[in-house]
Amino acid sequence: MAASTPVTVAPDALRTTDVPLLSWCDEATGERVDLTAAQLGDWAARSAGLLRACCGLRPGDRVAVLLPPHWRTAAVLLGAWAAGLAVSFRPRATAGLPVLEPGGDRPYDAVFVTPERLDDWLEDVPDGTHRYLVGTGPGRLAEVPVGWLDWSAEVLRHTDTPPDHAAIRATDPASPDGTSYDEWGRLALTLADQLDLRAGDRLLVDAAEHEQPVKWLLAPLSVGASVVVCANLDPARRDARIAAEQVTRVL
């Protein structure tokens, strides 16, 4: 996760192998994944390699991401930005609503969506040259429709070597509406300041309440805070979760 993406992970203390930078848990199933900065960077690098080597995408190409707050979503987003791509993030709240952006009437170069949203009749999943299903459960998907690929399987075909960032500039578009990498980075820092996030903080995020990655991913990482993203968070157990995770801030 280099400086050419909308977020730089800092400080160096968070790079130690035993400190989780991003934790994702599901209170309904008990599933949990903890990723250090190095591990999250490895997944992002694999995702970037998939987009570049397999899909042949280059800086400026467009991808659509229809995924919930999740550790795989973080890998997809950070990988796409590390490859210099323009990311159209579409939260579940916009299902059924037209998304108006430059080039929105032509297929995306790649599309990432969960099986649930693909099968939802309210959802208008955009066309894409390369199409990936991203599961939110453990392991690979049991079934993959014709014309789609399982991201969890395909991403493992690529190494965790970071892509070359030389061709990516801070002024390049990080989203199809023209918002640049630098502008998203400054927005992330502004939101972090509004949330009073500081290096070393640990932020609890209710996945059902905060879909936008600039809030649950970019803002905390930009100042060196770690994140706990919790799906199916039980309000009655929130205080217990805060204590168990040593949370210092709640989104």
Side-chain angles (χ1 to χ4, degrees), residues 129-151:
T129 304
H130 303 276
R131 303 190 295 176
Y132 294 94
L133 284 185
V134 183
T136 56
R140 300 180 181 181
L141 297 173
E143 297 182 8
V144 180
V146 175
W148 292 83
L149 294 173
D150 182 351
W151 179 86

PDB file of all heavy atoms in Angstrom, residues 129-151:
ATOM      1  N   THR A 129     -16.033  -6.611 -18.556  1.00  0.00           N
ATOM      2  CA  THR A 129     -15.241  -7.510 -19.400  1.00  0.00           C
ATOM      3  C   THR A 129     -14.738  -8.694 -18.595  1.00  0.00           C
ATOM      4  O   THR A 129     -14.750  -9.829 -19.059  1.00  0.00           O
ATOM      5  CB  THR A 129     -14.050  -6.744 -20.003  1.00  0.00           C
ATOM      6  OG1 THR A 129     -14.528  -5.603 -20.724  1.00  0.00           O
ATOM      7  CG2 THR A 129     -13.249  -7.640 -20.932  1.00  0.00           C
ATOM      8  N   HIS A 130     -14.301  -8.440 -17.366  1.00  0.00           N
ATOM      9  CA  HIS A 130     -13.863  -9.485 -16.444  1.00  0.00           C
ATOM     10  C   HIS A 130     -14.778  -9.422 -15.228  1.00  0.00           C
ATOM     11  O   HIS A 130     -14.955  -8.350 -14.643  1.00  0.00           O
ATOM     12  CB  HIS A 130     -12.403  -9.278 -16.047  1.00  0.00           C
ATOM     13  CG  HIS A 130     -11.461  -9.221 -17.202  1.00  0.00           C
ATOM     14  ND1 HIS A 130     -10.930 -10.346 -17.790  1.00  0.00           N
ATOM     15  CD2 HIS A 130     -10.980  -8.158 -17.909  1.00  0.00           C
ATOM     16  CE1 HIS A 130     -10.148  -9.984 -18.793  1.00  0.00           C
ATOM     17  NE2 HIS A 130     -10.164  -8.677 -18.896  1.00  0.00           N
ATOM     18  N   ARG A 131     -15.338 -10.574 -14.831  1.00  0.00           N
ATOM     19  CA  ARG A 131     -16.363 -10.570 -13.794  1.00  0.00           C
ATOM     20  C   ARG A 131     -16.010 -11.570 -12.683  1.00  0.00           C
ATOM     21  O   ARG A 131     -15.760 -12.754 -12.960  1.00  0.00           O
ATOM     22  CB  ARG A 131     -17.727 -10.915 -14.397  1.00  0.00           C
ATOM     23  CG  ARG A 131     -18.118  -9.964 -15.533  1.00  0.00           C
ATOM     24  CD  ARG A 131     -19.554 -10.135 -15.963  1.00  0.00           C
ATOM     25  NE  ARG A 131     -19.798 -11.450 -16.541  1.00  0.00           N
ATOM     26  CZ  ARG A 131     -21.002 -11.876 -16.933  1.00  0.00           C
ATOM     27  NH1 ARG A 131     -22.061 -11.094 -16.761  1.00  0.00           N
ATOM     28  NH2 ARG A 131     -21.150 -13.062 -17.476  1.00  0.00           N
ATOM     29  N   TYR A 132     -16.000 -11.057 -11.451  1.00  0.00           N
ATOM     30  CA  TYR A 132     -15.587 -11.875 -10.311  1.00  0.00           C
ATOM     31  C   TYR A 132     -16.648 -11.866  -9.213  1.00  0.00           C
ATOM     32  O   TYR A 132     -17.172 -10.809  -8.848  1.00  0.00           O
ATOM     33  CB  TYR A 132     -14.274 -11.359  -9.731  1.00  0.00           C
ATOM     34  CG  TYR A 132     -13.104 -11.510 -10.679  1.00  0.00           C
ATOM     35  CD1 TYR A 132     -12.731 -10.455 -11.515  1.00  0.00           C
ATOM     36  CD2 TYR A 132     -12.381 -12.700 -10.752  1.00  0.00           C
ATOM     37  CE1 TYR A 132     -11.675 -10.589 -12.403  1.00  0.00           C
ATOM     38  CE2 TYR A 132     -11.323 -12.839 -11.630  1.00  0.00           C
ATOM     39  CZ  TYR A 132     -10.978 -11.781 -12.454  1.00  0.00           C
ATOM     40  OH  TYR A 132      -9.928 -11.912 -13.329  1.00  0.00           O
ATOM     41  N   LEU A 133     -16.925 -13.050  -8.681  1.00  0.00           N
ATOM     42  CA  LEU A 133     -17.754 -13.183  -7.492  1.00  0.00           C
ATOM     43  C   LEU A 133     -16.840 -13.225  -6.274  1.00  0.00           C
ATOM     44  O   LEU A 133     -15.833 -13.947  -6.268  1.00  0.00           O
ATOM     45  CB  LEU A 133     -18.584 -14.467  -7.541  1.00  0.00           C
ATOM     46  CG  LEU A 133     -19.811 -14.486  -8.464  1.00  0.00           C
ATOM     47  CD1 LEU A 133     -20.559 -15.801  -8.283  1.00  0.00           C
ATOM     48  CD2 LEU A 133     -20.728 -13.316  -8.179  1.00  0.00           C
ATOM     49  N   VAL A 134     -17.190 -12.447  -5.258  1.00  0.00           N
ATOM     50  CA  VAL A 134     -16.391 -12.387  -4.037  1.00  0.00           C
ATOM     51  C   VAL A 134     -17.268 -12.824  -2.872  1.00  0.00           C
ATOM     52  O   VAL A 134     -18.221 -12.129  -2.506  1.00  0.00           O
ATOM     53  CB  VAL A 134     -15.851 -10.959  -3.794  1.00  0.00           C
ATOM     54  CG1 VAL A 134     -14.968 -10.945  -2.557  1.00  0.00           C
ATOM     55  CG2 VAL A 134     -15.078 -10.465  -5.017  1.00  0.00           C
ATOM     56  N   GLY A 135     -16.979 -13.972  -2.323  1.00  0.00           N
ATOM     57  CA  GLY A 135     -17.760 -14.479  -1.202  1.00  0.00           C
ATOM     58  C   GLY A 135     -17.365 -13.817   0.103  1.00  0.00           C
ATOM     59  O   GLY A 135     -16.234 -13.354   0.269  1.00  0.00           O
ATOM     60  N   THR A 136     -18.283 -13.788   1.055  1.00  0.00           N
ATOM     61  CA  THR A 136     -18.002 -13.218   2.370  1.00  0.00           C
ATOM     62  C   THR A 136     -17.891 -14.301   3.450  1.00  0.00           C
ATOM     63  O   THR A 136     -17.707 -13.986   4.619  1.00  0.00           O
ATOM     64  CB  THR A 136     -19.097 -12.217   2.767  1.00  0.00           C
ATOM     65  OG1 THR A 136     -20.382 -12.861   2.715  1.00  0.00           O
ATOM     66  CG2 THR A 136     -19.094 -11.018   1.825  1.00  0.00           C
ATOM     67  N   GLY A 137     -17.988 -15.558   3.036  1.00  0.00           N
ATOM     68  CA  GLY A 137     -17.828 -16.664   3.966  1.00  0.00           C
ATOM     69  C   GLY A 137     -16.453 -17.279   3.828  1.00  0.00           C
ATOM     70  O   GLY A 137     -15.646 -16.865   2.993  1.00  0.00           O
ATOM     71  N   PRO A 138     -16.145 -18.288   4.643  1.00  0.00           N
ATOM     72  CA  PRO A 138     -14.826 -18.918   4.570  1.00  0.00           C
ATOM     73  C   PRO A 138     -14.661 -19.753   3.298  1.00  0.00           C
ATOM     74  O   PRO A 138     -15.622 -20.307   2.767  1.00  0.00           O
ATOM     75  CB  PRO A 138     -14.811 -19.811   5.820  1.00  0.00           C
ATOM     76  CG  PRO A 138     -16.256 -20.110   6.082  1.00  0.00           C
ATOM     77  CD  PRO A 138     -17.007 -18.876   5.687  1.00  0.00           C
ATOM     78  N   GLY A 139     -13.433 -19.819   2.814  1.00  0.00           N
ATOM     79  CA  GLY A 139     -13.131 -20.677   1.673  1.00  0.00           C
ATOM     80  C   GLY A 139     -13.668 -20.167   0.359  1.00  0.00           C
ATOM     81  O   GLY A 139     -14.073 -19.015   0.211  1.00  0.00           O
ATOM     82  N   ARG A 140     -13.669 -21.100  -0.616  1.00  0.00           N
ATOM     83  CA  ARG A 140     -14.118 -20.758  -1.962  1.00  0.00           C
ATOM     84  C   ARG A 140     -15.617 -20.970  -2.095  1.00  0.00           C
ATOM     85  O   ARG A 140     -16.260 -21.619  -1.274  1.00  0.00           O
ATOM     86  CB  ARG A 140     -13.363 -21.618  -2.983  1.00  0.00           C
ATOM     87  CG  ARG A 140     -11.846 -21.420  -2.939  1.00  0.00           C
ATOM     88  CD  ARG A 140     -11.137 -22.289  -3.957  1.00  0.00           C
ATOM     89  NE  ARG A 140      -9.690 -22.094  -3.890  1.00  0.00           N
ATOM     90  CZ  ARG A 140      -8.817 -22.705  -4.678  1.00  0.00           C
ATOM     91  NH1 ARG A 140      -9.254 -23.564  -5.593  1.00  0.00           N
ATOM     92  NH2 ARG A 140      -7.531 -22.475  -4.556  1.00  0.00           N
ATOM     93  N   LEU A 141     -16.177 -20.429  -3.173  1.00  0.00           N
ATOM     94  CA  LEU A 141     -17.607 -20.540  -3.421  1.00  0.00           C
ATOM     95  C   LEU A 141     -17.961 -21.942  -3.899  1.00  0.00           C
ATOM     96  O   LEU A 141     -17.219 -22.555  -4.674  1.00  0.00           O
ATOM     97  CB  LEU A 141     -18.043 -19.518  -4.463  1.00  0.00           C
ATOM     98  CG  LEU A 141     -17.855 -18.048  -4.075  1.00  0.00           C
ATOM     99  CD1 LEU A 141     -18.155 -17.151  -5.263  1.00  0.00           C
ATOM    100  CD2 LEU A 141     -18.738 -17.688  -2.889  1.00  0.00           C
ATOM    101  N   ALA A 142     -19.102 -22.436  -3.457  1.00  0.00           N
ATOM    102  CA  ALA A 142     -19.545 -23.770  -3.857  1.00  0.00           C
ATOM    103  C   ALA A 142     -19.983 -23.797  -5.320  1.00  0.00           C
ATOM    104  O   ALA A 142     -19.765 -24.784  -6.032  1.00  0.00           O
ATOM    105  CB  ALA A 142     -20.688 -24.237  -2.954  1.00  0.00           C
ATOM    106  N   GLU A 143     -20.612 -22.714  -5.778  1.00  0.00           N
ATOM    107  CA  GLU A 143     -21.084 -22.631  -7.156  1.00  0.00           C
ATOM    108  C   GLU A 143     -20.730 -21.277  -7.746  1.00  0.00           C
ATOM    109  O   GLU A 143     -20.842 -20.255  -7.071  1.00  0.00           O
ATOM    110  CB  GLU A 143     -22.602 -22.836  -7.220  1.00  0.00           C
ATOM    111  CG  GLU A 143     -23.074 -24.212  -6.754  1.00  0.00           C
ATOM    112  CD  GLU A 143     -24.582 -24.368  -6.883  1.00  0.00           C
ATOM    113  OE1 GLU A 143     -25.218 -23.467  -7.476  1.00  0.00           O
ATOM    114  OE2 GLU A 143     -25.111 -25.369  -6.391  1.00  0.00           O
ATOM    115  N   VAL A 144     -20.321 -21.300  -9.008  1.00  0.00           N
ATOM    116  CA  VAL A 144     -19.988 -20.063  -9.722  1.00  0.00           C
ATOM    117  C   VAL A 144     -20.712 -20.094 -11.066  1.00  0.00           C
ATOM    118  O   VAL A 144     -20.482 -21.013 -11.866  1.00  0.00           O
ATOM    119  CB  VAL A 144     -18.476 -19.917  -9.937  1.00  0.00           C
ATOM    120  CG1 VAL A 144     -18.161 -18.618 -10.686  1.00  0.00           C
ATOM    121  CG2 VAL A 144     -17.739 -19.951  -8.602  1.00  0.00           C
ATOM    122  N   PRO A 145     -21.586 -19.144 -11.347  1.00  0.00           N
ATOM    123  CA  PRO A 145     -22.324 -19.140 -12.616  1.00  0.00           C
ATOM    124  C   PRO A 145     -21.393 -19.010 -13.813  1.00  0.00           C
ATOM    125  O   PRO A 145     -20.274 -18.488 -13.712  1.00  0.00           O
ATOM    126  CB  PRO A 145     -23.229 -17.900 -12.496  1.00  0.00           C
ATOM    127  CG  PRO A 145     -23.268 -17.580 -11.042  1.00  0.00           C
ATOM    128  CD  PRO A 145     -21.965 -18.019 -10.479  1.00  0.00           C
ATOM    129  N   VAL A 146     -21.866 -19.482 -14.942  1.00  0.00           N
ATOM    130  CA  VAL A 146     -21.111 -19.350 -16.187  1.00  0.00           C
ATOM    131  C   VAL A 146     -20.876 -17.868 -16.477  1.00  0.00           C
ATOM    132  O   VAL A 146     -21.771 -17.040 -16.327  1.00  0.00           O
ATOM    133  CB  VAL A 146     -21.882 -20.003 -17.358  1.00  0.00           C
ATOM    134  CG1 VAL A 146     -21.160 -19.748 -18.682  1.00  0.00           C
ATOM    135  CG2 VAL A 146     -22.047 -21.495 -17.110  1.00  0.00           C
ATOM    136  N   GLY A 147     -19.673 -17.548 -16.868  1.00  0.00           N
ATOM    137  CA  GLY A 147     -19.327 -16.166 -17.170  1.00  0.00           C
ATOM    138  C   GLY A 147     -18.720 -15.413 -16.006  1.00  0.00           C
ATOM    139  O   GLY A 147     -18.311 -14.262 -16.160  1.00  0.00           O
ATOM    140  N   TRP A 148     -18.641 -16.077 -14.845  1.00  0.00           N
ATOM    141  CA  TRP A 148     -18.060 -15.462 -13.661  1.00  0.00           C
ATOM    142  C   TRP A 148     -16.915 -16.322 -13.139  1.00  0.00           C
ATOM    143  O   TRP A 148     -16.848 -17.525 -13.416  1.00  0.00           O
ATOM    144  CB  TRP A 148     -19.107 -15.291 -12.565  1.00  0.00           C
ATOM    145  CG  TRP A 148     -20.147 -14.278 -12.909  1.00  0.00           C
ATOM    146  CD1 TRP A 148     -21.263 -14.474 -13.680  1.00  0.00           C
ATOM    147  CD2 TRP A 148     -20.154 -12.902 -12.536  1.00  0.00           C
ATOM    148  NE1 TRP A 148     -21.964 -13.304 -13.796  1.00  0.00           N
ATOM    149  CE2 TRP A 148     -21.324 -12.323 -13.106  1.00  0.00           C
ATOM    150  CE3 TRP A 148     -19.315 -12.108 -11.768  1.00  0.00           C
ATOM    151  CZ2 TRP A 148     -21.642 -10.977 -12.925  1.00  0.00           C
ATOM    152  CZ3 TRP A 148     -19.634 -10.775 -11.583  1.00  0.00           C
ATOM    153  CH2 TRP A 148     -20.781 -10.221 -12.157  1.00  0.00           C
ATOM    154  N   LEU A 149     -16.011 -15.716 -12.362  1.00  0.00           N
ATOM    155  CA  LEU A 149     -14.910 -16.426 -11.728  1.00  0.00           C
ATOM    156  C   LEU A 149     -14.928 -16.155 -10.227  1.00  0.00           C
ATOM    157  O   LEU A 149     -15.389 -15.096  -9.776  1.00  0.00           O
ATOM    158  CB  LEU A 149     -13.564 -15.973 -12.312  1.00  0.00           C
ATOM    159  CG  LEU A 149     -13.299 -16.315 -13.783  1.00  0.00           C
ATOM    160  CD1 LEU A 149     -12.011 -15.639 -14.255  1.00  0.00           C
ATOM    161  CD2 LEU A 149     -13.214 -17.820 -13.966  1.00  0.00           C
ATOM    162  N   ASP A 150     -14.433 -17.120  -9.453  1.00  0.00           N
ATOM    163  CA  ASP A 150     -14.341 -16.990  -8.001  1.00  0.00           C
ATOM    164  C   ASP A 150     -13.061 -16.227  -7.668  1.00  0.00           C
ATOM    165  O   ASP A 150     -11.960 -16.732  -7.857  1.00  0.00           O
ATOM    166  CB  ASP A 150     -14.325 -18.379  -7.365  1.00  0.00           C
ATOM    167  CG  ASP A 150     -14.283 -18.335  -5.837  1.00  0.00           C
ATOM    168  OD1 ASP A 150     -14.090 -17.236  -5.271  1.00  0.00           O
ATOM    169  OD2 ASP A 150     -14.415 -19.397  -5.211  1.00  0.00           O
ATOM    170  N   TRP A 151     -13.205 -15.007  -7.161  1.00  0.00           N
ATOM    171  CA  TRP A 151     -12.042 -14.185  -6.844  1.00  0.00           C
ATOM    172  C   TRP A 151     -11.112 -14.895  -5.874  1.00  0.00           C
ATOM    173  O   TRP A 151      -9.886 -14.842  -6.024  1.00  0.00           O
ATOM    174  CB  TRP A 151     -12.501 -12.855  -6.236  1.00  0.00           C
ATOM    175  CG  TRP A 151     -11.379 -11.950  -5.847  1.00  0.00           C
ATOM    176  CD1 TRP A 151     -10.724 -11.047  -6.633  1.00  0.00           C
ATOM    177  CD2 TRP A 151     -10.765 -11.855  -4.543  1.00  0.00           C
ATOM    178  NE1 TRP A 151      -9.745 -10.399  -5.924  1.00  0.00           N
ATOM    179  CE2 TRP A 151      -9.752 -10.875  -4.626  1.00  0.00           C
ATOM    180  CE3 TRP A 151     -10.977 -12.494  -3.327  1.00  0.00           C
ATOM    181  CZ2 TRP A 151      -8.954 -10.525  -3.535  1.00  0.00           C
ATOM    182  CZ3 TRP A 151     -10.186 -12.152  -2.240  1.00  0.00           C
ATOM    183  CH2 TRP A 151      -9.180 -11.183  -2.356  1.00  0.00           C
TER     184      TRP A 151
END
